[in-house]
Amino acid sequence: MIDYCFKNNNVYLDCKNEFNIALTLDCGQAFRWRQNSDLSWSGAVGNKVLKISQDGNTVILHSVSENEFIDFWYDYFDLGRNYSELYNIFSNDKTLDDAVKKYYGIRVLNQDPWETLCSFIISQNNNIPRIKGIIERLCENFGEKLSDKLFSFPTAEKIANLSADDLTPLRAGFRTKYILDAAKKVASNEIVLSKIQNLSIENARIELQKICGVGPKVSECVLLFSCKKPEAFPLDVWMKRVVAEFYPNGIPEIIKPYGGIAQQYLFHMMRN
DNA sequence: TACCAGGGCCTTT
DNA sequence: AAAGGCCATGGT
């Protein structure tokens, strides 16, 4: 588990091998964190901006009050979860154990469901540099300015009132109509994203896939990264390769409840 | 069933 | 420098 303390308006996390911010912020689950020249990272989450840095086992959240940390960042960074305990469970599987020992400290973030849904619609049939570009243009054009370079993610209501023409600056291609459909269904409360995490994973999948442009892969990402479903297991081409090569008979039962978290390590291993 | 639809990054040639 | 592969979903 991760201990923390407050000092000089910063939060200091003593995270042993349970938190590697570079791997966590740049492993394909979030697209708006950028590394600064001093190796710290900056990002906008909701209407907040954060600078975060790491020095060995100490992670520093800069200029964050105790209240803001407890109320928001603690959950965002999944600090309530004991990753050492998870690593113990994962060590039952040789492949996973090797991946964990190589890439200690990847954490699954608890992100905003609307931003996650929209981001993973954009991610489909796409590569990471371009995904980041489209999302950046989306925020710059339609989000609120939060600081010098950082914008909030535009709300579903805001996007729902736009047309495909309005979104041409994004250069999102055929995904534009999917973004609009998602925004309209969310803004009208036809899909209530805040209630998805209370559904069974089967019903949650069905609900999300009512959106045009959301299939099994995108819905699984939304469930894992923003709806507290650690058992969600997104299968992209890389993970299909992992399964074919290492798990022809399926993922071990003991891993399944945390399959999505395990997946982050396996995915990273396969891509490197 | 198989293919195509935006587009741009990446690897190979 | 040019060509070809890659990519998740819906539609034909």
Side-chain angles (χ1 to χ4, degrees), chain A residues 21-40:
Chain A
I21 64 170
L23 290 178
T24 298
L25 300 178
D26 203 23
C27 67
Q29 63 177 321
F31 302 100
R32 300 213 293 138
W33 288 96
R34 300 285 183 277
Q35 191 160 33
N36 304 309
S37 51
D38 66 359
L39 301 187
S40 67

Side-chain angles (χ1 to χ4, degrees), chain A residues 44 63 81 110 126 131 228 259:
Chain A
S63 302
R81 191 187 301 282
N110 293 124
N126 214 341
I131 296 164
K228 307 217 169 176

Side-chain angles (χ1 to χ4, degrees), chain A residues 198-213:
Chain A
N198 301 324
L199 301 176
S200 68
I201 192 162
E202 295 83 6
N203 287 334
R205 287 183 183 117
I206 291 168
E207 193 66 11
L208 286 171
Q209 289 175 27
K210 287 178 180 171
I211 296 163
C212 182

Side-chain angles (χ1 to χ4, degrees), chain A residues 103-114:
Chain A
Y103 304 113
Y104 272 126
I106 303 176
R107 304 181 76 86
V108 169
L109 301 171
N110 293 124
Q111 303 184 69
D112 171 70
W114 162 245

Side-chain angles (χ1 to χ4, degrees), chain A residues 110-121 153 156 182 186 191-197 208 211 218 221-223 225-228:
Chain A
N110 293 124
Q111 303 184 69
D112 171 70
W114 162 245
E115 174 171 345
T116 306
L117 170 63
C118 196
S119 296
F120 280 90
I121 286 172
F153 196 91
V186 170
I191 308 273
V192 182
L193 287 181
S194 60
K195 293 192 172 166
I196 298 276
Q197 67 170 266
L208 286 171
I211 296 163
V218 172
C221 288
V222 173
L223 292 172
F225 300 131
S226 70
C227 298
K228 307 217 169 176

Side-chain angles (χ1 to χ4, degrees), chain A residues 6-52:
Chain A
F6 307 97
K7 206 163 56 183
N8 307 326
N9 207 34
N10 296 333
V11 182
Y12 293 80
L13 309 179
D14 175 17
C15 40
K16 304 167 211 62
N17 58 12
E18 293 187 24
F19 196 0
N20 179 315
I21 64 170
L23 290 178
T24 298
L25 300 178
D26 203 23
C27 67
Q29 63 177 321
F31 302 100
R32 300 213 293 138
W33 288 96
R34 300 285 183 277
Q35 191 160 33
N36 304 309
S37 51
D38 66 359
L39 301 187
S40 67
W41 295 74
S42 291
V45 182
N47 288 319
K48 298 175 172 64
V49 296
L50 177 69
K51 184 169 106 169
I52 182 169

